Amino acid sequence: MAQKVLDVKNLSIDFDTLNGTVKAIRDVSFHLDKGETLALVGESGSGKSITVRTIMRLLADNETITNGTIDFEGKDILKESKKEMDKIRGGKIAMISQDPMTSLDPTMNIGNQVAEPLRVHEGMSKHKALEQAAEVLEEVGIPNARERMRDYPHQFSGGQRQRIVIAMAIIDNPDVLIADEPTTALDVTVQAQIIKLLKDLKDKIGTSIIFITHDLGVVANIADRVAVMYAGKIVEYGTVDDIFYNPQHPYTWGLLDSMPTLSMNSDRLNTIPGTPPNLINPPKGDAFYARNKYALKIDHEKQPPFFKVSDTHYAATWLLDKRAPKVTPPESIQKRQAEFKKRGEADHD
């Protein structure tokens, strides 16, 4: 049986604005197993980033946790003291941000920046920490790493800066690595290199990864399990094969249908019509109701529970209720599933 390293239960978060209180995260639960990569996917504003920032206890002044627990090593992170969180954050749980320039100090050379976690968390000497920093920079693929230890962030390319941020995150061998859209600002070639690097590092140091993205194409290449978020809630979760080959929630269908594929004849991408609901006044029923052409009357009146598809796969949609009419995924989704399967078989060969 897989060992849980992180267990989030019934997490709810509000944040105050001039217009009212936003119910940003609404009863979110998920877990992360040892050595696995869990992808949190969804549109911008779905709640992915605020969820992982809460794991790091990096909440803004106007954000309030109203319910839930986050279990790590048998303790609730939400109840830990600031002193204990300083030990956990960056040491046992580390984070890679979307924009490396916001994570790197422009006035400090990269050698000292990468070495800093070892000096803070391990009390390591400067000489030893710098030596280990050089080794990790070589490991993440910085050319001539030892010679470039005295260089500053602006002297590196975007892809190299992201590798430096990854080096900072992994140098203390964290149990959990949170990657918040780490490839969004990179071109496709560099993006593929960063994904491969994260996969290789996960295997080498045995860390567990939470990977945040809106791009399901990236998910297919890195994740073991996927949790799909919409309007502050998880609406479907399962293995990567469950989500790509047997998606059940209409929102997941929409995300998959928005992915570009090699067989697309049009020069336009498909999109999900409409916009997410206002979470100052969340809908009484299914939050996806107004954008869902398969919506039932009950979707407007009552939130769906999670229905079990398999032992690994659950989806919160009334379409899975035994009383609901039978609805099959759109033809475009079925074509994409066939293409995913063909691509997977080619990769396996």
Side-chain angles (χ1 to χ4, degrees):
M1 186 175 178
Q3 178 186 348
K4 292 182 184 178
V5 294
L6 191 73
D7 196 7
V8 178
K9 291 182 179 178
N10 308 116
L11 183 66
S12 295
I13 302 170
D14 294 352
F15 62 84
D16 295 325
T17 70
L18 293 175
N19 295 320
T21 299
V22 176
K23 306 293 183 181
I25 302 297
R26 304 182 295 141
D27 198 31
V28 164
S29 298
F30 64 89
H31 70 273
L32 179 68
D33 289 334
K34 184 175 177 59
E36 80 162 343
T37 298
L38 171 70
L40 291 183
V41 303
E43 295 168 290
S44 295
S46 60
K48 308 181 301 295
S49 292
I50 190 173
T51 298
V52 294
R53 282 195 289 107
T54 305
I55 294 171
M56 298 287 286
R57 285 269 297 275
L58 297 173
L59 292 177
D61 291 341
N62 67 332
E63 295 173 354
T64 304
I65 300 164
T66 59
N67 191 45
T69 60
I70 301 177
D71 185 272
F72 178 68
E73 294 187 339
K75 296 180 179 180
D76 184 0
I77 281 177
L78 302 181
K79 295 180 179 178
E80 293 284 41
S81 66
K82 182 181 182 301
K83 184 177 180 181
E84 285 301 312
M85 277 309 301
D86 287 342
K87 294 177 182 177
I88 293 171
R89 191 188 301 119
K92 295 185 176 183
I93 303 177
M95 191 168 184
I96 304 165
S97 66
Q98 180 178 147
D99 181 5
M101 285 306 281
T102 63
S103 303
L104 296 172
D105 185 337
T107 68
M108 185 186 296
N109 67 51
I110 60 115
N112 283 327
Q113 291 193 63
V114 175
E116 188 173 33
L118 293 176
R119 303 193 69 191
V120 171
H121 295 291
E122 306 291 336
M124 194 176 288
S125 69
K126 182 176 182 179
H127 174 76
K128 189 174 180 181
L130 286 172
E131 183 62 29
Q132 197 161 322
E135 292 174 4
V136 174
L137 285 167
E138 288 176 348
E139 193 174 321
V140 300
I142 297 297
N144 305 313
R146 292 181 183 276
E147 290 77 12
R148 302 207 64 185
M149 293 272 282
R150 295 185 179 181
D151 288 347
Y152 291 83
H154 72 273
Q155 295 174 276
F156 294 85
S157 69
Q160 288 174 336
R161 286 195 290 264
Q162 193 61 285
R163 289 172 184 268
I164 292 167
V165 170
I166 292 171
M168 290 173 61
I170 68 165
I171 195 166
D172 216 13
N173 292 327
D175 297 311
V176 176
L177 182 62
I178 297 172
D180 189 1
E181 306 238 22
T183 61
T184 297
L186 306 175
D187 65 50
V188 176
T189 302
V190 178
Q191 183 181 92
Q193 293 171 355
I194 296 297
I195 293 298
K196 183 179 185 304
L197 172 62
L198 288 172
K199 290 169 68 175
D200 291 345
L201 289 171
K202 184 189 79 166
D203 293 340
K204 184 170 182 177
I205 68 176
T207 193
S208 305
I209 298 176
I210 299 177
F211 194 95
I212 313 302
T213 185
H214 62 274
D215 186 348
L216 276 169
V218 172
V219 169
N221 293 320
I222 194 169
D224 299 302
R225 286 191 303 120
V226 182
V228 180
M229 291 193 72
Y230 182 75
K233 296 179 73 71
I234 291 176
V235 297
E236 184 166 6
Y237 64 92
T239 67
V240 70
D241 285 350
D242 291 334
I243 299 302
F244 277 86
Y245 298 144
N246 191 31
Q248 297 294 316
H249 199 287
Y251 178 62
T252 309
W253 295 347
L255 289 179
L256 288 166
D257 204 26
S258 301
M259 286 176 57
T261 66
L262 296 175
S263 62
M264 288 181 68
N265 296 321
S266 172
D267 59 358
R268 297 182 63 184
L269 291 175
N270 295 323
T271 59
I272 302 173
T275 57
N278 183 346
L279 293 183
I280 292 177
N281 296 299
K284 180 173 65 172
D286 186 347
F288 193 56
Y289 170 78
R291 305 174 73 185
N292 180 10
K293 69 177 182 179
Y294 305 97
L296 307 172
K297 182 180 179 181
I298 193 173
D299 283 306
H300 183 61
E301 301 166 351
K302 188 176 180 181
Q303 290 185 19
F306 275 107
F307 290 90
K308 181 178 179 179
V309 182
S310 72
D311 287 343
T312 59
H313 189 186
Y314 293 79
T317 170
W318 286 114
L319 292 176
L320 291 175
D321 190 286
K322 62 184 179 181
R323 298 164 293 178
K326 297 301 176 186
V327 175
T328 56
E331 185 179 350
S332 58
I333 293 298
Q334 296 178 47
K335 288 181 179 178
R336 287 167 187 269
Q337 287 173 306
E339 185 169 317
F340 295 146
K341 185 175 181 180
K342 185 177 180 180
R343 190 187 307 169
E345 289 171 349
D347 291 343
H348 182 71
D349 293 340

